[in-house]
């Protein structure tokens, strides 16, 4: 008798919780729908008013360190994880072991990693131009 009462109480509690949760979910959905409707009828958010030069000038040293660190890692020897040389060694090992599928997969990664070196060197050059501009223009103080 006591077990039935506990089971019934448990089931009633679970049913009540489910009803309350469903009711709350419907109310939340209605609120979200009405909020979306008012947002879509309102005027769109304004675009950026500046080019963000001041913030970019502030971040130049940090960006420069990140690029230098990445290039240093990529140009390191075969003993350094993440280097082009290490991945090249893995490709060579896979080919010599006859693991053609692994070699193909690693070769694609190696191709991307080599292109990443080129991209980072270009960014480094572009960032040097930004740094010069920032020094000549008061760290972008004129922009918003």
């Amino acid at each position: 008798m006591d077990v039935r009462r506990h089971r019934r109480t448990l089931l009633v509690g679970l049913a009540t919780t489910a009803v309350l949760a469903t009711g709350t979910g419907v109310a939340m959905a209605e609120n979200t729908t009405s909020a979306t409707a008012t947002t879509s009828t309102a005027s769109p958010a304004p675009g950026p008013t500046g080019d963000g030069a001041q913030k970019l000038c502030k971040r130049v040293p940090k960006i420069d360190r990140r690029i230098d660190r990445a290039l240093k890692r990529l140009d390191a020897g075969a003993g350094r994880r993440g280097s082009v040389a290490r991945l090249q060694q893995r490709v060579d090992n896979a080919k010599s072991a006859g693991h053609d599928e692994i070699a193909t997969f690693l070769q694609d990664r190696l191709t991307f990693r080599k292109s990443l070196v080129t991209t980072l060197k270009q960014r480094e050059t572009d960032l040097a131009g930004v740094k010069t501009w920032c020094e000549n223009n008061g760290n972008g103080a004129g922009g918003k």
Side-chain angles (χ1 to χ4, degrees), residues 77-143:
R80 175 76 189 257
R81 293 181 78 185
S83 70
V84 172
R86 183 180 182 107
L87 191 52
Q88 180 64 57
Q89 182 64 46
R90 290 180 65 196
V91 169
D92 295 342
N93 291 345
K95 285 180 181 177
S96 66
H99 301 151
D100 295 332
E101 291 81 8
I102 303 298
T104 302
F105 177 78
L106 292 176
Q107 183 62 49
D108 290 344
R109 286 181 59 191
L110 180 63
T111 302
F112 171 76
R113 197 166 288 177
K114 286 179 178 178
S115 73
L116 186 60
V117 170
T118 306
T119 302
L120 287 173
K121 286 183 179 178
Q122 181 61 47
R123 285 186 186 172
E124 190 174 42
T125 304
D126 294 344
L127 190 63
V130 170
K131 184 177 181 180
T132 302
W133 183 91
C134 290
E135 290 170 353
N136 295 337
N137 292 286
N139 287 325

Side-chain angles (χ1 to χ4, degrees), residues 23-55:
T24 305
V26 171
M28 291 286 286
E30 289 174 2
N31 288 340
T32 305
T33 305
S34 64
T36 305
T38 51
T39 304
S40 62
T41 58
S43 62
T49 56
D51 60 358
Q54 192 170 15
K55 289 183 181 181

Side-chain angles (χ1 to χ4, degrees), residues 45-63:
T49 56
D51 60 358
Q54 192 170 15
K55 289 183 181 181
L56 181 60
C57 288
K58 184 179 178 183
R59 289 186 44 83
V60 164
K62 187 181 285 189
I63 295 169

